[in-house]
Amino acid sequence: MSLQLYLEIASYAFNLIGLVVCLAGLTLVQRTRHRWPGYLLAVGGFLIAAFPVLYQMLAATA
């Protein structure tokens, strides 16, 4: 099995984990003291969720 097939299988897990991390970051943003770490956590969660799609886009160009 290729890496592409494993990535397609794991895309649901990446999306769920990324969604939870992003929501945790956005919850942290609501508190005025913790704005920047919350923004960074939300962006990190988005990148985790988008990793399978980004990998497929970059692999297609190579």
Side-chain angles (χ1 to χ4, degrees):
M1 292 176 116
S2 66
L3 179 63
Q4 178 85 18
L5 186 59
Y6 283 122
L7 208 53
E8 288 178 17
I9 293 170
S11 66
Y12 293 113
F14 276 107
N15 287 331
L16 288 175
I17 292 170
L19 177 69
V20 168
V21 171
C22 190
L23 287 176
L26 291 176
T27 303
L28 199 60
V29 166
Q30 290 179 351
R31 300 182 185 159
T32 57
R33 289 183 334 181
H34 303 291
R35 279 199 190 269
W36 289 110
Y39 286 134
L40 292 176
L41 200 59
V43 169
F46 175 77
L47 290 176
I48 291 170
F51 175 73
V53 175
L54 294 174
Y55 176 78
Q56 287 176 356
M57 285 178 16
L58 294 175
T61 60

